[in-house]
Amino acid sequence: MGFRIVIPARHSSTRLPGKPLLDICGKPMVLRVLDRALEAGADEVWVATDHQGIADVVERGGGKVILTAAEHPSGTDRLAEVATRLGWADDDVVVNVQGDEPLIPPQLIGAAAAALTDDAEAAIATACHPLESAEEFFNPNVVKVVLDARGRALYFSRAPIPWARDAFAADRTVLPAGLPAYRHIGLYAYRAGFLTRYSGLAPSPLEQWEALEQLRAMAHGFPIRVMVLDHAPPAGVDTAEDLERVRRAFDLAEVSR
């Protein structure tokens, strides 16, 4: 099973400017992510960036890099530019590995590619894991997904779905046993043909109301395969606190060797 990986790495960040270049135990974050991606068994791994400084760091680190346009509204659009410029075939599988996830398990990247390869009708594959607390379930910052019998997404929402009518009428402080409540994880594998069509798809009202980009694909009839993981993978880096957490993880890994 062949697949490709693209790591979008933007320099601008509201919380952590220059995030891909921040040091993690002697190595820029973008190279830490690249290391993980290279362990996933992909045919090619590319870093896609709009910043020359990031490109220079990747090239010095021995990685492949492509400079993309600065005005892309989303990472999906940036991947579409890469797929088009590199001439990838419509059926090629492309995994988007975020440039701020230096702890992402390589096997999870490969699993996302395999999930899409195994579902010939799906345009996208992504992942989720069971929710364990009512606090997370009712948190609008936690994106939930409901699945059909084939493991495809029926809907993504910031709202608490599925709604356990009778159980929640009695008690909303705990999740009822057996409720299929899943948290969406923002790891995506795409078919290159979908990527090249994506920018031409009109935004959907649901996408705009929920502020969830994946609803555009669903609104236009593109099936999304969803892997169900046992638990959440390590979180990425959004804040200075996240950065320190990741640095501690790498420090511990070095000590344990």
Side-chain angles (χ1 to χ4, degrees):
M1 177 200 70
F3 66 98
R4 295 169 168 82
I5 295 172
V6 178
I7 304 169
R10 294 175 62 248
H11 188 269
S12 60
S13 170
T14 304
R15 293 179 175 177
L16 288 174
K19 183 161 57 171
L21 300 178
L22 295 176
D23 179 81
I24 298 177
C25 300
K27 215 171 195 180
M29 186 186 306
V30 66
L31 294 186
R32 292 293 186 185
V33 178
L34 180 61
D35 287 344
R36 293 294 174 114
L38 289 170
E39 294 176 18
D43 296 329
E44 296 180 77
V45 180
W46 290 84
V47 174
T49 184
D50 57 2
H51 189 269
Q52 187 62 53
I54 295 173
D56 292 343
V57 164
V58 173
E59 287 183 337
R60 286 197 298 269
K64 295 181 178 179
V65 65
I66 183 168
L67 279 167
T68 55
E71 65 272 10
H72 287 307
S74 72
T76 309
D77 293 289
R78 197 172 304 279
L79 261 68
E81 180 185 346
V82 174
T84 300
R85 287 174 56 186
L86 295 180
W88 290 339
D90 284 354
D91 285 338
D92 286 347
V93 173
V94 184
V95 182
N96 178 2
V97 175
Q98 296 295 337
D100 59 3
E101 296 197 11
L103 294 176
I104 187 170
Q107 62 271 26
L108 178 56
I109 301 171
L116 186 55
T117 301
D118 292 344
D119 190 334
E121 296 177 356
I124 304 170
T126 187
C128 70
H129 69 87
L131 283 167
E132 297 180 353
S133 73
E135 181 181 2
E136 287 183 308
F137 186 68
F138 287 99
N139 183 348
N141 294 317
V142 173
V143 177
K144 276 69 69 173
V145 60
V146 174
L147 310 180
D148 69 11
R150 295 172 295 179
R152 292 179 181 171
L154 286 170
Y155 192 60
F156 297 86
S157 182
R158 299 181 183 279
I161 58 172
W163 184 257
R165 185 193 66 175
D166 295 340
F168 288 142
D171 185 359
R172 297 189 186 183
T173 63
V174 295
L175 293 180
L179 182 71
Y182 296 112
R183 179 177 190 160
H184 176 232
I185 300 166
L187 172 69
Y188 291 99
Y190 302 95
R191 297 196 191 279
F194 168 79
L195 287 172
T196 57
R197 294 181 61 184
Y198 176 79
S199 61
L201 300 177
S204 74
L206 289 173
E207 170 196 1
Q208 294 171 325
W209 283 111
E210 293 262 19
L212 295 175
E213 182 185 338
Q214 62 269 38
L215 292 176
R216 183 183 311 183
M218 295 189 69
H220 289 275
F222 291 96
I224 300 178
R225 178 67 178 271
V226 185
M227 301 184 294
V228 179
L229 309 179
D230 292 335
H231 52 78
V237 177
D238 289 321
T239 66
E241 291 76 17
D242 292 336
L243 181 62
E244 290 308 310
R245 169 180 51 80
V246 169
R247 284 172 172 164
R248 287 194 298 271
F250 273 93
D251 278 336
L252 288 172
E254 289 295 325
V255 169
S256 64
R257 287 181 180 176

